[in-house]
Amino acid sequence: MPTPATPDDPAATSDTNRGDLLQLLLQICEDFLARTTPATHQVDTLLRARGITGGPGWLIDMLGLTRLRL
């Protein structure tokens, strides 16, 4: 039998923890995309291919706005 998730468990999926998980995801994205690496260049190329010229910062902003809408 699986053990119940603890309130601080990032794998928990209750409504109260979803906002915390999204905040964690946003922070990880911001930390990752704030550095210039081949991966951030690939994200920028992917966004430009879809007509989005805001770069990785745009992606972070859209994730943040999505969080507000939840």
Side-chain angles (χ1 to χ4, degrees):
M1 173 181 262
T3 59
T6 61
D8 295 328
D9 182 5
T13 58
S14 72
D15 288 338
T16 57
N17 290 331
R18 284 188 183 160
D20 295 339
L21 287 174
L22 189 52
Q23 184 62 39
L24 177 62
L25 174 63
L26 287 171
Q27 187 63 49
I28 290 169
C29 287
E30 186 172 358
D31 291 345
F32 178 76
L33 296 173
R35 298 174 296 176
T36 303
T37 64
T40 54
H41 179 70
Q42 289 176 346
V43 169
D44 189 46
T45 301
L46 180 68
L47 292 172
R48 286 181 184 276
R50 287 168 172 71
I52 300 166
T53 59
W58 176 89
L59 180 60
I60 294 168
D61 290 344
M62 291 305 105
L63 288 169
L65 288 173
T66 300
R67 178 178 181 255
L68 292 175
R69 293 177 69 193
L70 295 176

